[in-house]
Amino acid sequence: MIEIERKFILRDAAVINELKARDIDVQQKDVTQIYVKITPLEEIRFREASGVFTITQKSGVGLAREENESETDAKSFKKALKNAVAAPIKKTRFLFKLDGAACNVDIFHGALEGLVTFEAEFSGEREATEFSLPEFIAAHVISEVTEDERYKNKNLALFGLPQGEFDAQKSIEILQNSPELELNLPSYIGAMDAMRTVFFQIFTALNKHLSEYASSSDAEALHQIRINLRKTRSLLKIFTPVFDQKTACYFLLNFKKLAELTNQKRDIDVFCEFLQKQKGFEGLASELEILSKTLAKSVQAELQSDEANEILRDWEVILREGSDFFKGELGDAPIKKLAAKSMRAQILRLKKSLSNLSETTENAQFHKCRIEIKRLRYLSEIFGGGFSFAAAKKCFKKSKILQETFGSLQDADIWLGLLAHVKSGAEQKRIDKLQAKIYKKIYELRSEILDSKPKILKSLTKLSHGLKIYYI
């Protein structure tokens, strides 16, 4: 059959009382619907309405669309729920007739709370175009959205409310005092406003840890500095087209320099922590602790230098001002669509990198793969909550676990490299034994990664397919 309908946004649900006051027969149903397939021209939807289960396939866009609906059962609905490609939609539907036309008012719940729509279905397009809203309903109408694809149920499931308000300037002011707040970025806001807010939250955390490290040389503070610098560089590289290219490249280069200031101290600290757990290397561990303290003073001085402060001040100005001068070609792109596309591109890079790993691959290639996983993790930490289908949650969880394994491999490689340059009073036999222990650990970690490769590749493929529907 052909579905021909018009849709309107209502101010609120007060129209229901008016329907009842006019003795119009109204049926009420609680509805949950989920989507297992969404493309620009097609959708497959499962619906449960007060205990009745249906499956519907729709195709086409605009006023008239082809629709095929049939009954199904609770078991099929439950299975479909596991394979959903978007967030479930929950609403209370009120069905009635006006001048022979089948109508309904939907009051949405959950993430779509506040949205109330009126729909009228018709047997022909002429009837639809000639339809005039009764005055008592027209008084509650904000706008007609029949041709607005954002208000199709499938897109509400994917992107949420189109009219979500967002003030980047105000959000930045709030984050300055409460950087730990969880960001909930509306799907349709421009990418530059969204990324300014994301980067400012990271920048605020970075400043906090820079102050802590300046006064205490605390190792955890330095670790957090490294994380926030890496996160900034990673995300800026991915979202470079959101900003002016020269500006993005300038900060990518300088944030890399800042991060590199901490590398030697981090490697020494990791090696020292490892040696402290080994028998017979207490003396060397003590020497390294002294070296670490000396390096800490050097790193402190570099991070507080005029050059470092100037870079950070310039970055803060750009984030606070949000001038169009610094906006790139994708600065106005809807953030959720761009995030989905960027995440999928990162998945494809990661899949390629993982696929090339084998028993004969050098450790350096494993470390490059670790960086690709880390980039996906940063993206998932910020945007992952907006992609609520099951494959996304599973893949993000697996990727995090795998990244930790890759990190352990990198640490072991650092231990091996530094141990090769050790000149201490320890017997060579003891050093050889420790090297053998590290080699064994490296072999085990590499094997663990290679054994998990088929499953993670399969999980990444599912996630990639799920993300594609958000921007095609």
Side-chain angles (χ1 to χ4, degrees):
M1 60 177 289
I2 300 297
E3 177 193 58
I4 303 171
E5 66 179 18
R6 290 175 65 181
K7 179 182 280 191
F8 303 82
I9 303 298
L10 303 181
R11 288 189 180 84
D12 51 41
V15 71
I16 300 299
N17 293 330
E18 295 205 31
L19 289 168
K20 293 177 180 178
R22 284 169 169 76
D23 292 327
I24 296 174
D25 184 36
V26 179
Q27 294 183 16
Q28 179 177 336
K29 293 183 178 181
D30 292 321
V31 176
T32 299
Q33 59 190 52
I34 52 176
Y35 293 86
V36 295
K37 182 179 182 180
I38 296 176
T39 72
L41 297 176
E42 185 185 12
E43 63 191 70
I44 298 177
R45 178 196 73 201
F46 282 77
R47 173 184 284 171
E48 188 268 323
S50 298
V52 177
F53 299 90
T54 55
I55 177 173
T56 305
Q57 183 175 2
K58 294 186 179 184
S59 58
V61 295
L63 178 69
R65 297 191 295 166
E66 185 177 342
E67 178 182 294
N68 294 294
E69 183 172 286
S70 58
E71 287 193 14
T72 185
D73 53 29
K75 185 178 179 180
S76 298
F77 183 85
K78 190 174 181 180
K79 182 179 179 181
L81 190 59
K82 293 181 179 179
N83 296 317
V85 297
I89 288 180
K90 292 183 180 293
K91 57 189 178 182
T92 302
R93 167 161 284 186
F94 298 87
L95 300 103
F96 52 95
K97 286 193 174 184
L98 290 176
D99 297 329
C103 303
N104 65 72
V105 170
D106 285 343
I107 301 173
F108 290 81
H109 307 298
L112 300 174
E113 191 75 39
L115 178 63
V116 182
T117 62
F118 167 79
E119 293 177 330
E121 294 188 10
F122 308 93
S123 57
E125 291 191 35
R126 182 177 178 181
E127 182 187 352
T129 55
E130 292 178 351
F131 174 74
S132 294
L133 285 167
E135 285 187 14
F136 79 93
I137 290 182
H140 296 272
V141 170
I142 296 175
S143 62
E144 181 171 1
V145 291
T146 301
E147 301 292 341
D148 191 337
E149 289 295 312
R150 297 176 304 166
Y151 283 94
K152 298 298 182 188
N153 277 265
K154 66 177 183 180
N155 287 325
L156 290 172
L158 288 172
F159 299 106
L161 291 171
Q163 72 267 32
E165 294 181 2
F166 184 82
D167 186 332
Q169 214 64 39
K170 186 174 181 181
S171 297
I172 285 172
E173 291 172 9
I174 293 170
L175 286 171
Q176 184 169 2
N177 298 316
S178 305
E180 72 287 347
L181 291 176
E182 183 179 349
L183 290 178
N184 185 15
L185 300 169
S187 301
Y188 292 99
I189 64 169
M192 185 171 179
D193 277 349
M195 293 313 300
R196 278 175 58 211
T197 309
V198 168
F199 282 129
F200 190 83
Q201 185 179 45
I202 299 170
F203 172 77
T204 306
L206 174 61
N207 260 348
K208 174 189 172 185
H209 296 300
L210 282 168
S211 297
E212 289 174 355
Y213 191 66
S215 60
S216 67
S217 299
D218 179 62
E220 178 58 26
L222 182 62
H223 177 61
Q224 292 301 322
I225 289 169
R226 287 172 56 82
I227 288 175
N228 285 290
L229 284 172
R230 283 200 308 260
K231 192 178 291 187
T232 300
R233 285 180 56 220
S234 177
L235 292 170
L236 187 54
K237 187 172 183 179
I238 292 169
F239 290 98
T240 291
V242 170
F243 297 89
D244 168 70
Q245 187 171 7
K246 287 184 179 179
T247 302
C249 289
Y250 168 80
F251 284 106
L252 280 170
L253 176 63
N254 282 287
F255 285 137
K256 181 179 181 181
K257 289 178 181 178
L258 288 177
E260 286 176 345
L261 294 174
T262 68
N263 286 346
Q264 185 181 13
K265 184 177 187 311
R266 188 267 179 191
D267 290 348
I268 293 295
D269 287 345
V270 168
F271 189 43
C272 183
E273 186 178 349
F274 168 66
L275 286 179
Q276 287 171 343
K277 298 175 183 177
Q278 313 303 317
K279 221 172 187 180
F281 289 90
E282 294 83 358
L284 179 57
S286 296
E287 290 177 22
L288 288 174
E289 281 185 358
I290 296 171
L291 175 59
S292 177
K293 290 178 181 178
T294 304
L295 286 172
K297 293 178 181 179
S298 172
V299 172
Q300 276 179 321
E302 292 285 357
L303 291 176
Q304 295 176 69
S305 68
D306 291 341
E307 183 181 359
N309 284 326
E310 184 179 355
I311 293 165
L312 293 171
R313 279 197 304 269
D314 289 347
W315 183 234
E316 182 178 10
V317 168
I318 288 174
L319 298 180
R320 283 187 181 277
E321 290 186 355
S323 170
D324 284 351
F325 181 79
F326 299 111
K327 186 184 290 186
E329 58 181 322
L330 296 181
D332 291 322
I335 186 57
K336 191 164 187 177
K337 291 187 178 184
L338 186 57
K341 191 171 186 178
S342 300
M343 201 176 292
R344 187 165 183 264
Q346 182 57 36
I347 288 169
L348 296 178
R349 286 190 289 268
L350 175 54
K351 285 180 66 178
K352 183 178 180 181
S353 185
L354 275 170
S355 297
N356 290 333
L357 298 183
S358 68
E359 292 181 357
T360 59
T361 303
E362 294 183 357
N363 282 349
Q365 294 303 313
F366 279 78
H367 300 330
K368 287 181 180 179
C369 193
R370 177 186 62 85
I371 292 171
E372 299 294 352
I373 293 179
K374 191 171 288 184
R375 286 176 180 156
L376 178 60
R377 181 175 175 181
Y378 291 151
L379 283 168
S380 68
E381 285 175 352
I382 295 166
F383 301 107
F387 305 102
S388 55
F389 51 95
K393 294 177 181 178
K394 288 180 182 178
C395 188
F396 294 148
K397 185 177 180 180
K398 288 179 182 179
S399 297
K400 183 178 180 180
I401 295 170
L402 189 60
Q403 183 204 325
E404 291 169 356
T405 307
F406 271 99
S408 297
L409 176 61
Q410 185 196 30
D411 288 345
D413 218 16
I414 289 171
W415 301 337
L416 200 60
L418 291 174
L419 196 60
H421 295 88
V422 165
K423 293 179 181 179
S424 71
E427 297 177 3
Q428 187 61 43
K429 187 175 181 181
R430 187 176 290 154
I431 293 176
D432 291 344
K433 187 176 180 180
L434 186 56
Q435 282 179 327
K437 183 178 179 180
I438 297 171
Y439 272 118
K440 182 182 178 183
K441 183 176 181 66
I442 288 174
Y443 174 79
E444 290 172 348
L445 290 167
R446 284 170 58 100
S447 297
E448 184 179 341
I449 290 169
L450 293 174
D451 288 345
S452 65
K453 192 173 81 168
K455 287 186 177 180
I456 191 67
L457 283 172
K458 184 177 179 181
S459 184
L460 286 167
T461 299
K462 284 185 178 181
L463 176 55
S464 176
H465 289 163
L467 289 169
K468 190 175 181 180
I469 65 176
Y470 285 85
Y471 66 88
I472 54 175

